[in-house]
Amino acid sequence: MRKLVGIAAVTAVMALTACTGSSPGGSAAPTELDIAAIAPPESFSPGNFGTGPTTQFLQPVYDSLFRNTNEGEPAENIVTKWSYDDTRTKLSLTIREGVKFTDGTPLDAAAVKANLDSARKGTGEAGGQLRFIQEVTVTDATNLMVTLSAPDPSLVPNLGGTAGVLASPKALGTPALDTTPIGSGPYILDAAKSQTGIKYVYTRNADYWNAKDFPFDTVEVTVFNDNNAILNALRAGEADFAVVTDKDSNSLKSAGLNIQTSPAYTTSGLYLFDRKGSLVPALAEPKVRQAINMALDRDAIHAKVFGGKGKATSQVFSSTSDAFIPELDKKYPFDVNAAKKLLADAGYANGFTLPMPDVSPVYPDQQAAVTEALTAIGVTPQYQPVNGQTFISDLLAGKYPAAIFGLNSPRPWDFAQIALTPESLWNPFHVSDPTVVDLINKAQGETGDAQTETFRQLNTYLVDQAWFAPYIQSDNVFASNAEITVTPQRYSTLPPLWGFTASKK
């Protein structure tokens, strides 16, 4: 999910903006979709990028193994048939025939193996989603077997996302692939018209096998650092679509734009990474983390910061999942005095200093609310300047013990893998809790109701131990002009590229 605050910024302003030559009241169907982002892609090399906003850069040029439905369920794409064995550790895949990468290389079983072998060594979230792949074996040109070291409940749907994108085997492992993608997707990056880190221009791939699902002749992705520029483009009719803040939605609606909301599948809050107490010993104490949770006025944050959109919560697991337990949101009622007592009981009656990144340029209202909550109980935030280019790597390196942040939280298994295990990418201090590890391992071998119950036990434990201090599961607010119809996808931060079509007149 990343920009200045990485995945955290998933809940901030993201946009698909345009210079389409169309206007909100125009009659000609747009032939160009211009996408405005507020951070460039981490890389175009499979496995080295994220799972959130990066999709808007990848989907024009790359096919994925599966294409998830609007409900987030895997459906055929490059893979036409698939099945697991009884142990759910052997996944058989049949590959669509006749597809080629834009450099002429066949997209066959050998190409899929090359991509999976390369991507699972990647350092990004997408690579992390492939961590249980042990071996990929090619049977023939259209069939292969993926062997797992243990069952992975989310592997197939994740292969319908950024974990399953496919680059030309000739480009894999080359430095050029980091900035110049070569795929088999509906568009080709026009390097002559593009500028790395600023603007990405994609023109139609004339040989694409499924062109009917992509009606625009051109897609442009431009990186903006100024929210006002995005809003001005929307109002001027130069933007087809944007994810905007709720506070801007009314004025945009008055300007003739359509407004719709969709779950962002992102949990935002104060992420307490240093649960070992390596940098801030106080954070190793559950009562301290519980006090921080009790200091947060979630209802006020929900109403004032998020405009009542989304859901106020103290849980990291998505409220759309069966692992979510409504009663757990009563665990930490807003109570400053009770929070102070918890701090005193933990030996911190005089509070402590908590170094954190300064995210006020992106989240001024959230940071103000968190500051007020912490100072009310005697905890002093010590905000440090942020380098937008290194912020994510700084977080992952354990530079900050806590951060106002947001992580994608689609399915419980996905969140467990990115944030809860000792090896998880977003467990930068490598905290290992036997109860958490045991419950995750138990869920891995289960399905159906048994797995749901295990995840509910895990959720209860995380809330009881106050591993995090969440306050909102946000909604995305979409603004679009009348010429574009936008269809969101469940579990996805942004609508997929094929979810953008010209509106019917």
Side-chain angles (χ1 to χ4, degrees), residues 90-131:
K90 292 185 180 297
L91 175 63
S92 299
L93 303 176
T94 299
I95 306 303
R96 184 178 299 277
E97 296 186 59
V99 179
K100 292 185 177 182
F101 295 99
T102 55
D103 65 358
T105 305
L107 201 174
D108 55 13
V112 173
K113 170 181 167 57
N115 271 271
L116 291 176
D117 284 345
S118 178
R120 64 194 177 100
K121 299 173 185 175
T123 58
E125 291 172 11
Q129 290 181 336
L130 304 175
R131 61 189 291 259

Side-chain angles (χ1 to χ4, degrees), residues 2-289:
R2 303 184 199 74
K3 20 186 175 305
L4 167 63
V5 195
I7 301 176
V10 165
T11 56
V13 178
M14 296 177 293
L16 302 178
T17 63
C19 296
T20 62
S22 60
S23 65
S27 58
T31 60
E32 182 177 308
L33 177 68
D34 296 331
I35 298 174
I38 61 174
E42 302 93 327
S43 169
F44 281 106
S45 295
N48 288 337
F49 35 66
T51 60
T54 300
T55 57
Q56 59 197 341
F57 297 94
L58 305 179
Q59 287 175 344
V61 288
Y62 287 141
D63 272 316
S64 57
L65 284 169
F66 296 87
R67 189 169 114 175
N68 294 342
T69 67
N70 292 344
E71 292 302 312
E73 297 301 322
E76 68 176 65
N77 196 46
I78 294 301
V79 170
T80 58
K81 296 179 183 178
W82 67 97
S83 62
Y84 272 112
D85 70 346
D86 290 342
T87 68
R88 300 190 66 78
T89 60
K90 292 185 180 297
L91 175 63
S92 299
L93 303 176
T94 299
I95 306 303
R96 184 178 299 277
E97 296 186 59
V99 179
K100 292 185 177 182
F101 295 99
T102 55
D103 65 358
T105 305
L107 201 174
D108 55 13
V112 173
K113 170 181 167 57
N115 271 271
L116 291 176
D117 284 345
S118 178
R120 64 194 177 100
K121 299 173 185 175
T123 58
E125 291 172 11
Q129 290 181 336
L130 304 175
R131 61 189 291 259
F132 291 106
I133 293 181
Q134 188 175 58
E135 183 181 18
V136 182
T137 306
V138 173
T139 305
D140 55 41
T142 58
N143 292 278
L144 66 156
M145 176 77 72
V146 179
T147 301
L148 307 179
S149 59
D152 183 345
S154 291
L155 177 62
V156 172
N158 285 338
L159 291 176
T162 59
V165 303
L166 302 165
S168 170
K170 291 182 179 179
L172 291 172
T174 66
L177 189 58
D178 284 333
T179 56
T180 307
I182 300 176
S184 62
Y187 300 93
I188 300 170
L189 181 70
D190 188 334
K193 295 181 179 178
S194 302
Q195 186 176 357
T196 299
I198 298 175
K199 188 174 186 177
Y200 300 79
V201 178
Y202 305 90
T203 56
R204 186 176 290 283
N205 176 5
D207 298 323
Y208 188 58
W209 63 275
N210 190 25
K212 65 181 177 59
D213 284 355
F214 301 90
F216 303 99
D217 292 331
T218 306
V219 175
E220 292 189 11
V221 185
T222 303
V223 178
F224 287 87
N225 291 317
D226 185 352
N227 180 43
N228 288 329
I230 293 175
L231 298 177
N232 289 337
L234 282 167
R235 295 187 181 104
E238 296 173 345
D240 294 315
F241 172 88
V243 180
V244 299
T245 61
D246 180 68
K247 67 181 181 181
D248 294 318
S249 62
N250 288 335
S251 67
L252 293 171
K253 188 173 183 180
S254 298
L257 292 146
N258 295 327
I259 303 295
Q260 64 187 105
T261 61
S262 176
Y265 302 102
T266 299
T267 302
S268 296
L270 181 57
Y271 277 74
L272 308 174
F273 295 120
D274 188 18
R275 294 178 296 275
K276 282 184 177 179
S278 300
L279 299 180
V280 179
L283 292 183
E285 298 292 334
K287 287 185 177 180
V288 169
R289 303 194 299 265

